[in-house]
Amino acid sequence: MNNILLSNDSSSKEEYKKIMNQTIEAITDAFDSEKAYTGPEPFDLKKIVREESILPDKGLGWEETFRLTKEKILPNLLRPSSTDYMPHLHSPCTLESLSAEAIISAFNQSMDSWDQAPVATEIEVEVIRHLCALYGYQEGSDGIFTSGGSQSNQTAIILARDWFITNILGYDVKKHGLPENFRKLRMYTSEISHFSMEKSAHILGLGYESVVKVPVDKERRMDFSALEKLVEEDINKGNIPFLIVCTVGTTDFGSIDPLKKSAELCKKHNIWLHADAAYGSGVILSQKYSDRVKDLKLADSITVDFHKMFLLPISCSCVLVKNGSTFDALTIHADYLNREEDEEDGYTNLVDKSLQTTRRFDALKVWMSFLERGKEGWSQIITSSMENALLLYQTISKKSAFELVCRPEISSVVFRYCKAGASLEESDQINRKVRRRLLHQHGIVIGQTKADGKVFLKFTLLNPLMTEEKLLELVDLIEKLCREEEMKNA
C-alpha cells in the first residue's frame, strides 16, 4: 500500500514525479502527426481495446498498465489541437490550462463547501464577480460553475420557472411543487436551439409540449415577429409564457438571436429572458466584434462555456444571473455540509446555488488563462477564428459547385457540394462519403449536419493556429474529393 497517494512523504513525491514525467513524455511523443486523427476505423478500434478483463485478480502494476495505455490508447486519441480538426464546438486547450488541470486533479478540491475547498471557493467567487462585470451585469448579480452548457441551461430554466411561479403566479413551488395549471406553462426557443431545452423541460416535469419552437429566418436567427405572435397567441389561449431563450451562437450556424427585441417583449409580459451563449459568449473578448453580443447584459441569465471559444479543457462552464437572490431556489441546508451559521461567519458554501454537490475547481482554468493572456491576447485569439470563418465563407461563395447556408456571425461555416443535375440523395451521398474519406484517408475531421432537409458539411473554426493558406488548401481538397465521388457515380 506504499506510494498510492501523493502526500508530504518524500517517497510518494518521487513516485508522483516519476509517473508524471513518464506521462508527459508519452503525451508529447503521441503528438507525432499534424493530423487530427490517425487511428483505425470503428470495428478495428473495438478489437484493439478489447480485453479479457480490466480488473485482473492481481494488478498489473504501473509499468505494464502504462505500457498498455501507450500501446492501445495514446496513438488512437483524437487531437483537437490540430488545425485539421473542426467538426464541433470542441476546442484545443491552451498550455496554461493544461497546467491548471494538473493542479485541479492533484489537489482534488470539492467545490460544495468551504472546508473542502477554502482558496478554491474564494477564487470561484472572485472569477464569477469578474465574469458578471465582463458581461455587463451590475452589483447583486451572481453565478456558479457547472459541468457544461446543458447544465447551465437547465439551471437557468429552473431559476426562471421558480422565479415566475413564485413572483408572478404567487405560488410556493419550492414547498408545494408545480401548481395545478403547470401544463399551461410555456417557454420559447429557436427551432434550431440546443436540445437541452427539451431535455430540461422533460426533467422538470413540464414536458416537451411546454417548449414552443420558434421559426428562424434565412440567417438562422430566431424570427422575432414569429416569436411575438406565438407569445400573444398563447396568452389569448390561456397559456402561461414564463421564459424566452435566445441562442447566442447556434450549434451549427453560430447565429445570434435578437436579444434586444426579446428583452423588450419579456419586460412587457413579465417573462424571464435566458441567453444560451455557450458558443457565442467568447465573442465578448474580441475588440473588433464584441458589439455582436453587447446585448447579453439584457438577459436575466447567461450560459457561458469556456470549453468552446475560450480554449479550456472539458469541462468548464458557468451560468450567470442578473439577480443573485434567484439562486435561493436551489438552496437547502444540511447540518453535515452547509450549515446556516457558516454564512454568518464568512464561510461560503457554493452548494447553496449549485445543482451539483461535488464539483471540480474549474474556475482555476479561467483565472489562470485570463491572467496569462489578458484582454489583448484573448481578443487576438477570438478575432482570428471569426475572421477565418469569414474568409472561408467568401472563398466557398465564389465556387459555383458549392451551396452555403448563411453568412457566419461567429466562426461556423456550413456548406455542401451540389452535383449538377443530380438528385438530392446523390448529392447527399457525395457529401457524406467525402466527410468519411477526409477522416480516414486524410486525418481531417469536419462536421456534418442537415439544413432544409439536405446534408451539409461544417467547419467550426476555434483553432487560432489555423491559417489562410491551410483553409484554402482544405477547400481545394474537398472540391477534388467531391468531384472524384461524382465521377464514380457517372
Side-chain angles (χ1 to χ4, degrees):
M1 297 291 286
N2 291 333
N3 292 339
I4 65 169
L5 303 175
L6 174 60
S7 69
N8 65 335
D9 179 76
S10 59
S11 63
S12 81
K13 292 180 182 179
E14 289 306 311
E15 185 69 11
Y16 173 76
K17 289 177 184 178
K18 182 191 84 171
I19 288 173
M20 292 305 292
N21 286 334
Q22 287 178 314
T23 302
I24 290 169
E25 183 177 0
I27 289 172
T28 53
D29 286 348
F31 279 85
D32 57 356
S33 171
E34 65 177 8
K35 296 302 178 185
Y37 183 67
T38 53
E41 294 188 26
F43 288 114
D44 292 328
L45 189 56
K46 293 178 195 298
K47 294 175 185 176
I48 290 171
V49 302
R50 183 80 177 178
E51 294 283 346
E52 288 297 319
S53 172
I54 62 164
L55 188 62
D57 292 336
K58 186 175 182 180
L60 303 181
W62 164 253
E63 297 298 339
E64 177 61 11
T65 299
F66 196 55
R67 183 192 69 78
L68 289 171
T69 304
K70 290 191 290 183
E71 176 188 309
K72 292 175 175 289
I73 298 175
L74 290 180
N76 300 316
L77 286 169
L78 195 73
R79 304 181 188 92
S81 59
S82 167
T83 53
D84 282 334
Y85 184 79
M86 61 206 90
H88 304 289
L89 290 164
H90 176 191
S91 73
C93 302
T94 61
L95 290 173
E96 70 275 6
S97 67
L98 300 181
S99 168
E101 279 288 344
I103 296 169
I104 291 166
S105 61
F107 284 89
N108 200 34
Q109 308 292 280
S110 183
M111 302 301 298
D112 35 334
S113 61
W114 195 93
D115 61 2
Q116 296 180 83
V119 73
T121 295
E122 301 301 343
I123 286 292
E124 179 167 326
V125 170
E126 181 72 356
V127 169
I128 287 292
R129 183 174 71 85
H130 284 276
L131 289 172
C132 285
L134 178 65
Y135 288 98
Y137 279 0
Q138 304 300 313
E139 188 175 348
S141 55
D142 204 350
I144 193 75
F145 273 76
T146 72
S147 64
S150 290
Q151 190 180 81
S152 291
N153 287 335
Q154 185 182 56
T155 301
I157 294 170
I158 291 171
L159 299 183
R161 181 201 66 179
D162 281 28
W163 168 83
F164 185 88
I165 293 175
T166 301
N167 294 282
I168 307 302
L169 300 186
Y171 184 86
D172 190 342
V173 63
K174 192 172 182 180
K175 183 176 181 180
H176 303 298
L178 295 173
E180 290 184 5
N181 59 348
F182 78 92
R183 293 186 187 279
K184 294 181 179 294
L185 290 169
R186 294 292 182 268
M187 54 183 280
Y188 305 81
T189 185
S190 156
E191 63 181 346
I192 57 171
S193 65
H194 196 260
F195 68 82
S196 57
M197 305 307 157
E198 289 96 321
K199 182 177 282 191
S200 295
H202 166 222
I203 293 169
L204 298 181
L206 302 178
Y208 290 173
E209 289 183 357
S210 69
V211 183
V212 180
K213 304 308 284 283
V214 183
V216 295
D217 60 22
K218 64 180 182 178
E219 298 300 325
R220 269 45 186 185
R221 303 173 186 133
M222 186 161 61
D223 185 327
F224 179 74
S225 296
L227 169 65
E228 194 172 31
K229 183 178 179 182
L230 286 166
V231 170
E232 295 290 348
E233 286 177 352
D234 269 327
I235 291 172
N236 292 334
K237 289 177 185 175
N239 290 324
I240 308 172
F242 78 97
L243 170 66
I244 292 173
V245 179
C246 283
T247 308
V248 180
T250 54
T251 304
D252 277 338
F253 310 106
S255 42
I256 299 173
D257 289 341
L259 277 164
K260 187 174 182 180
K261 289 182 178 179
S262 298
E264 292 168 356
L265 183 62
C266 286
K267 186 176 182 180
K268 177 181 177 182
H269 295 293
N270 288 321
I271 298 172
W272 182 289
L273 178 61
H274 174 59
D276 176 10
Y279 179 5
S281 49
V283 178
I284 200 74
L285 294 182
S286 169
Q287 293 177 8
K288 187 172 183 179
Y289 297 114
S290 61
D291 274 358
R292 294 185 183 180
V293 297
K294 68 178 187 297
D295 290 329
L296 278 170
K297 63 180 179 286
L298 302 176
D300 294 293
S301 53
I302 307 169
T303 286
V304 180
D305 264 15
F306 299 100
H307 50 234
K308 292 184 172 68
M309 293 196 85
F310 291 90
L311 312 186
L312 300 188
I314 300 166
S315 59
C316 196
S317 178
C318 74
V319 59
L320 306 176
V321 294
K322 184 176 288 185
N323 182 352
S325 67
T326 54
F327 273 123
D328 291 346
L330 301 179
T331 302
I332 183 167
H333 291 285
D335 290 337
Y336 56 80
L337 187 64
N338 58 332
R339 295 153 294 274
E340 291 188 63
E341 66 263 22
D342 285 355
E343 299 170 18
E344 300 168 6
D345 295 330
Y347 295 92
T348 301
N349 297 313
L350 293 176
V351 73
D352 289 352
K353 53 184 179 177
S354 173
L355 290 181
Q356 293 171 267
T357 303
T358 304
R359 287 188 301 114
R360 301 173 81 250
F361 180 25
D362 289 321
L364 179 63
K365 292 178 278 192
V366 179
W367 189 82
M368 288 179 69
S369 65
F370 275 25
L371 285 172
E372 161 97 7
R373 302 189 183 275
K375 290 181 179 178
E376 183 179 358
W378 276 111
S379 179
Q380 291 173 355
I381 288 170
I382 302 296
T383 303
S384 69
S385 293
M386 296 178 72
E387 299 202 325
N388 278 335
L390 180 59
L391 169 68
L392 179 62
Y393 172 83
Q394 292 170 339
T395 300
I396 293 175
S397 66
K398 295 173 185 174
K399 293 181 175 287
S400 59
F402 288 95
E403 174 187 354
L404 287 148
V405 174
C406 58
R407 187 182 180 88
E409 288 192 271
I410 304 180
S411 63
S412 295
V413 181
V414 180
F415 63 98
R416 69 187 250 111
Y417 181 80
C418 305
K419 179 183 176 183
S423 68
L424 174 61
E425 181 56 31
E426 285 177 311
S427 291
D428 282 353
Q429 278 297 101
I430 288 173
N431 285 280
R432 289 190 189 102
K433 288 179 178 178
V434 165
R435 188 186 72 86
R436 291 277 181 87
R437 285 185 64 183
L438 287 168
L439 173 61
H440 294 297
Q441 296 175 10
H442 298 271
I444 299 169
V445 192
I446 66 172
Q448 178 182 309
T449 190
K450 272 201 165 187
D452 303 323
K454 297 179 283 190
V455 171
F456 278 83
L457 303 176
K458 179 176 69 167
F459 277 27
T460 307
L461 298 166
L462 299 175
N463 194 324
L465 302 183
M466 177 63 79
T467 63
E468 178 178 342
E469 180 184 16
K470 179 66 173 284
L471 277 175
L472 298 179
E473 288 174 357
L474 286 169
V475 173
D476 289 342
L477 175 60
I478 290 171
E479 185 170 18
K480 174 178 174 289
L481 295 178
C482 286
R483 295 201 184 280
E484 287 177 5
E485 291 298 323
E486 186 177 348
M487 291 301 295
K488 288 179 185 179
N489 299 327

